Amino acid sequence: MMRSPRQSKGTAKLLEHHATTTTTPRRTTRSLSRFAYTDTASPWPTSKHGPQTPDIEDSISPPANAKKRRRTSTARPAVKTELVEDSIRSICSPPKAAAPPPPARRAARKPATRKTDPTTGETRTSPPSDWEDTYNTVKKMRAPGGPAHGAAVDTMGCERLADRTASARDQRFHTLISLMLSSQTKDTVNAVAMQRLKTELPAHEPGAPVGLNLDNVLAVDASVLNGLIWAVGFHNNKTKYIKQAAVILRDQWNGDIPDSIDGLTSLPGVGPKMAYLCLSAAWNRTEGIGVDVHVHRITNLWGWNKTKTPEETRLALQSWLPRDKWREINWLLVGFGQTVCLPVGRRCGDCDLGLQGLCKAAERKKVMEGRRVKQEETIKDEGTGRVVKKEVLVEGVVSVKEEVVDELPRE
């Protein structure tokens, strides 16, 4: 349908009137304070459609012509500092003592080596490089006041169990019997068994003395003898060996013990170790080293030799150890093995060899603990009146070991 010219003129007038009365809202960049509530009239321009609301982005944006303020000072801002208060522990605790310096590093030990002279063909064995330092250190520890003093072998060793009031022949017989009983047996147990034999072994005839002698051993019943020595290791076999050896001594050695290694080892139950120790203690003749489990174990720990049996150890030691030490070394190392260098639970922290770096087998943790400086202080317990000696570490930790020194009466 076509519009008439009259309708077109009316529409044009209506559009022209609307254009003159309607205004487009303009954007403003006024501050946010304009949004605050006031009782006064709204500052925003109004129109027939209501007040004009500014854009929030325009409200918080800085003016286009604003300049950035220039910093006038380059000095760093002051920072407040406070001293950190010392803790109560740092005030009350004693200062830690400096750890003792470790011993100077020693040269690597050279084991015993065998060398053959090409011109003469003679074979000589050179000893381990530091054997004298090790030997002398152990000797000091075995002396009175040392950590290895007072071992069982010092008072209950086989050479000390003979009755000194008996005849010389009976004393030699006592030494032989004590050595035969000592195999696989502690010295304390062996000493008890020997004491029973010396005091309870029945006499071979009426009026004869009771105690340990060849005649009484020959006459006693095996079951009675076994009952007297039942506490020692392998007592059944040892009972049989003692009875057989007594017959051999009566028939072949005129009632005395042999005075040679071959003669002693011919007796049942007597090996090279017992023979060399017996010859040394009973006849005062040293022809070899008596190597037991302690000597064999400790010398291998030190690296003096690499042997598998006590007999191999004996031959290795005799190839270089001075002869004047052959008798002493057994007593020295047996006592050392009974007190410090134990088969189980070695006391490396109390051993001067470990503390001085002479023992390559020392347990490092125990050695470091042994090097810690300790001090003792005597404290009087006010509650009980006792004087107690406590072992205190420098770090301030009191050990659990306490020893009552004296009982004091309460005031």
Side-chain angles (χ1 to χ4, degrees):
M1 180 177 178
M2 298 295 293
R3 291 184 179 181
S4 63
R6 190 174 181 177
Q7 290 178 336
S8 299
K9 290 181 180 181
T11 302
K13 288 182 179 181
L14 181 62
L15 293 175
E16 182 180 358
H17 175 72
H18 184 270
T20 56
T21 58
T22 303
T23 59
T24 303
R26 65 183 184 88
R27 298 180 65 180
T28 180
T29 57
R30 297 181 182 181
S31 66
L32 291 176
S33 61
R34 301 295 183 178
F35 290 95
Y37 174 78
T38 58
D39 293 334
T40 59
S42 175
W44 306 108
T46 58
S47 67
K48 62 183 297 184
H49 300 288
Q52 297 179 354
T53 303
D55 192 336
I56 188 64
E57 292 182 359
D58 295 338
S59 301
I60 63 175
S61 299
N65 59 352
K67 294 184 179 180
K68 190 173 183 180
R69 186 174 59 182
R70 181 177 298 177
R71 180 176 294 177
T72 58
S73 176
T74 59
R76 297 180 61 183
V79 179
K80 183 179 180 180
T81 59
E82 295 181 357
L83 294 177
V84 179
E85 183 180 0
D86 291 336
S87 63
I88 297 178
R89 181 177 179 83
S90 64
I91 296 175
C92 300
S93 301
K96 292 186 177 181
R105 188 176 183 85
R106 294 178 176 269
R109 175 186 291 115
K110 295 181 180 180
T113 55
R114 301 182 64 181
K115 297 181 180 180
T116 303
D117 191 342
T119 58
T120 61
E122 181 182 0
T123 301
R124 302 182 63 181
T125 303
S126 59
S129 56
D130 57 355
W131 77 270
E132 289 182 295
D133 293 339
T134 303
Y135 192 92
N136 293 331
T137 301
V138 174
K139 202 168 182 178
K140 290 180 181 178
M141 286 191 287
R142 293 283 282 118
H149 178 67
V153 70
D154 296 342
T155 56
M156 292 175 280
C158 294
E159 61 181 7
R160 300 178 183 274
L161 297 180
D163 186 359
R164 299 306 174 188
T165 62
S167 64
R169 175 182 292 186
D170 286 345
Q171 288 186 39
R172 290 191 290 268
F173 184 67
H174 291 179
T175 301
L176 175 63
I177 297 300
S178 66
L179 283 166
M180 295 178 69
L181 295 178
S182 66
S183 176
Q184 302 295 320
T185 304
K186 293 183 178 180
D187 286 339
T188 52
V189 177
N190 189 31
V192 173
M194 281 294 297
Q195 183 63 24
R196 294 195 66 184
L197 289 176
K198 290 185 290 186
T199 57
E200 301 179 25
L201 190 65
H204 66 282
E205 61 182 9
V210 176
L212 182 59
N213 57 54
L214 181 61
D215 294 332
N216 290 348
V217 171
L218 288 169
V220 72
D221 187 79
S223 61
V224 176
L225 179 61
N226 193 22
L228 293 174
I229 65 170
W230 68 270
V232 302
F234 304 99
H235 56 89
N236 293 325
N237 290 336
K238 292 176 181 178
T239 298
K240 179 177 62 176
Y241 294 153
I242 290 174
K243 292 289 289 183
Q244 293 174 354
V247 174
I248 295 174
L249 295 180
R250 181 195 63 188
D251 298 341
Q252 300 181 16
W253 298 96
N254 195 25
D256 206 344
I257 69 172
D259 59 352
S260 65
I261 296 298
D262 292 338
L264 288 169
T265 54
S266 67
L267 300 176
V270 178
K273 180 205 78 171
M274 296 182 190
Y276 285 110
L277 292 176
C278 185
L279 191 66
S280 177
W283 295 103
N284 197 26
R285 287 166 47 193
T286 303
E287 296 185 2
I289 300 175
V291 177
D292 68 344
V293 291
H294 291 291
V295 179
H296 172 66
R297 174 178 59 87
I298 293 173
T299 54
N300 275 275
L301 281 177
W302 290 344
W304 281 9
N305 41 258
K306 295 181 180 180
T307 53
K308 297 181 179 180
T309 63
E311 182 62 15
E312 292 180 1
T313 301
R314 180 184 69 83
L315 296 175
L317 291 175
Q318 289 180 181
S319 66
W320 61 266
L321 188 68
R323 196 179 184 90
D324 60 347
K325 293 179 171 52
W326 284 10
R327 181 173 181 175
E328 181 186 47
I329 190 173
N330 180 272
W331 166 83
L332 201 67
L333 297 190
V334 169
F336 181 64
Q338 290 177 342
T339 54
V340 176
C341 194
L342 304 170
V344 179
R346 302 198 305 269
R347 297 169 52 196
C348 299
D350 299 328
C351 179
D352 293 340
L353 295 179
L355 299 178
Q356 297 176 17
L358 288 171
C359 180
K360 69 172 187 178
E363 299 180 30
R364 181 175 178 83
K365 183 177 180 181
K366 295 180 180 179
V367 172
M368 296 303 294
E369 182 69 19
R371 287 175 179 167
R372 297 172 66 186
V373 181
K374 297 180 181 180
Q375 63 183 6
E376 288 185 349
E377 63 178 13
T378 302
I379 303 174
K380 179 180 178 181
D381 190 342
E382 297 181 357
T384 61
R386 298 183 305 175
V387 176
V388 181
K389 183 172 66 175
K390 293 184 178 181
E391 192 176 70
V392 184
L393 301 182
V394 171
E395 287 81 357
V397 180
V398 180
S399 68
V400 296
K401 179 181 178 182
E402 296 185 0
E403 178 183 355
V404 177
V405 179
D406 189 15
E407 293 282 353
L408 297 180
R410 296 188 180 182
E411 297 178 356

